[in-house]
Amino acid sequence: MKISAIHVRKEDLDLTRPYSIAYKTVTAVSNCVVEMETDSGNVGFGSANPSKYVVGVDVDDTVAALSEENTEWLIGKDVREMQQLVYEVQKKFAKQPGACAALDIALHDLFAQQLGLPLVKFLGQKHKSLPTSITIGIKNIGETIEEAEEYIGRGFKILKVKLGQSKEEDIERLKKLREQVGKEIVIRVDANQGYTMLQLEDFYYATFGPNPELIEQPLPANAIAEYRKLPTEIKKMVALDETLVTPANAYQLTNAPQAAGIFNIKLMKCGGIGHAREIANIAKNAKINLMWGCNDESRISIAAALHVALASSNTKYLDLDGSLDLARDLVTGGFELHDGVMSLTDQPGLGVRKVE
């Protein structure tokens, strides 16, 4: 089962609704798509949409990095050597996490297809299914409540609310949302580096009533010393996102005193499944829970993230809603979503099929 061709392209995908976070408003996204063919007729899919704001590269950089000249070394390689091939991809694309992720995902897809198993079965499935949050961008109180009611009507039980522009407005918005949705709905918040240490502590003590489940990336990405100084009760609720990119970061953040109680792993940050599993194991040894996040991504890479998330014993939170607001996608299948709960199909590999 040797690789016979690699096709790389950029796809522009509109969103069904724009959203705002602390530093930008998003109306459409692009994804880099990889189709890796073998001489046995199988096709492995990979995709990537890295954030330049977080990792310094974007989709255009990813497509450029995956030129024919830079990928021709894979032609003729045996997919059964997947682990070694992923290692070589990681070395060759060390400064291109999007390119690394797209190739890594395609190789994992092909390898599991060769086995005739869903990828999660090869990795070792620890969870059958888990609920995902769905994200509400920065909006006024009325718009927040309206969108929340829509999502609850669609069966979602976990809302993630983007904050970070004004602590006072954030607290008021959260209180009004809790009053509206009741106690049964889980609320998570993401401040996108929008707070100072003092503002975070104020926010925490002011939101006992709304009772958010976790607080994602409240302080700047480089504020590691400040994260370490947080009171234990706040620290255990903090999920690090932009601060945690690579396995090396994970090692640093687990050094005593630990910087947070939750790691948010994104394939688009760390460069694919191989590095994600390294971070997951580092977190497991440090007794840190895992949250699996995403950018605005095709179902290809969302499915890949779900496979590795359900194969990690310390996975506690999913935030894999990145394909749900795409006006169109590039593939079907990969996962199933019922009342906000994500599970995988029994199809080999990632289980995705190209939209014809």
Side-chain angles (χ1 to χ4, degrees):
M1 190 177 183
K2 295 183 178 181
I3 298 169
S4 58
I6 299 173
H7 305 287
V8 179
R9 68 183 187 276
K10 176 183 175 181
E11 291 277 357
D12 296 320
L13 306 171
D14 289 332
L15 299 178
T16 56
R17 74 169 95 215
Y19 67 87
S20 297
I21 58 178
Y23 53 86
K24 65 178 178 177
T25 297
V26 180
T27 59
V29 299
S30 298
N31 273 223
C32 172
V33 183
V34 169
E35 293 182 29
M36 189 177 290
E37 300 177 2
T38 67
D39 55 9
S40 58
N42 288 351
V43 179
F45 289 94
S47 65
N49 177 21
S51 167
K52 197 151 198 166
Y53 177 78
V54 178
V55 295
V57 298
D58 59 15
V59 169
D60 288 331
D61 298 319
T62 299
V63 173
L66 292 174
S67 65
E68 183 177 353
E69 179 183 3
N70 289 339
T71 57
E72 62 183 359
W73 63 274
L74 280 164
I75 304 300
K77 298 291 187 180
D78 194 321
V79 172
R80 291 172 296 182
E81 300 178 41
M82 182 269 291
Q83 300 281 20
Q84 178 63 24
L85 295 178
V86 167
Y87 171 75
E88 292 178 21
V89 164
Q90 290 171 348
K91 291 187 68 176
K92 291 178 184 292
F93 297 94
K95 296 183 179 180
Q96 291 285 341
C100 187
L103 291 176
D104 167 293
I105 291 167
L107 286 166
H108 277 86
D109 186 18
L110 279 177
F111 178 77
Q113 287 183 45
Q114 170 72 10
L115 295 179
L117 291 172
L119 177 60
V120 72
K121 297 297 184 183
F122 165 72
L123 299 177
Q125 188 164 8
K126 307 300 187 299
H127 308 274
K128 182 177 180 181
S129 62
L130 285 171
T132 184
S133 54
I134 190 164
T135 303
I136 300 173
I138 295 177
K139 300 176 180 288
N140 63 41
I141 291 173
E143 291 171 332
T144 296
I145 290 172
E146 181 180 0
E147 192 166 330
E149 289 177 336
E150 176 194 331
Y151 292 148
I152 293 168
R154 287 163 55 183
F156 289 93
K157 304 295 192 299
I158 307 173
L159 305 174
K160 190 175 91 165
V161 184
K162 294 283 190 177
L163 307 175
Q165 288 188 329
S166 164
K167 181 197 69 177
E168 290 74 19
E169 291 178 9
D170 292 345
I171 292 169
E172 179 66 15
R173 185 165 162 241
L174 202 57
K175 287 180 176 179
K176 293 294 185 183
L177 179 61
R178 176 57 76 196
E179 290 174 8
Q180 186 67 29
V181 303
K183 296 181 179 179
E184 300 304 313
I185 298 299
V186 174
I187 299 175
R188 301 170 182 169
V189 298
D190 182 358
N192 277 114
Q193 309 182 63
Y195 292 161
T196 65
M197 191 171 177
L198 180 58
Q199 287 173 329
L200 172 58
E201 293 190 24
D202 288 346
F203 175 84
Y204 172 80
Y205 292 115
T207 54
F208 280 135
N211 189 30
E213 181 182 39
L214 58 81
I215 306 171
E216 186 177 346
Q217 196 66 44
L219 308 180
N222 62 358
I224 297 173
E226 287 79 5
Y227 278 114
R228 295 192 195 279
K229 294 175 184 176
L230 287 172
T232 302
E233 65 269 24
I234 299 178
K235 189 186 296 186
K236 69 181 181 182
M237 289 181 61
V238 168
L240 294 180
D241 181 5
E242 288 88 348
T243 299
L244 172 69
V245 176
T246 67
N249 295 151
Y251 277 118
Q252 179 189 18
L253 295 167
T254 56
N255 291 335
Q258 289 184 1
I262 306 164
F263 280 177
N264 183 345
I265 302 177
K266 294 178 180 177
L267 303 190
M268 298 303 107
K269 290 187 300 181
C270 68
I273 294 168
H275 280 149
R277 294 183 72 197
E278 290 182 52
I279 295 173
N281 284 328
I282 293 166
K284 180 181 177 181
N285 290 332
K287 296 181 170 52
I288 291 174
N289 291 319
L290 297 181
M291 177 181 186
W292 294 82
C294 58
N295 299 334
D296 294 302
E297 302 171 30
S298 166
R299 184 175 280 253
I300 297 167
S301 50
I302 296 295
L306 184 59
H307 276 272
V308 67
L310 296 184
S312 302
S313 61
N314 50 331
T315 295
K316 190 173 181 180
Y317 314 99
L318 295 185
D319 182 35
L320 294 177
D321 60 342
S323 67
L324 302 184
D325 282 337
L326 295 180
R328 71 177 180 93
D329 207 333
L330 313 170
V331 297
T332 60
F335 62 84
E336 296 177 347
L337 178 68
H338 298 293
D339 291 332
V341 177
M342 300 184 79
S343 59
L344 295 163
T345 70
D346 60 358
Q347 296 301 305
L350 297 179
V352 300
R353 301 178 300 280
K354 188 175 181 178
V355 174
E356 299 298 337

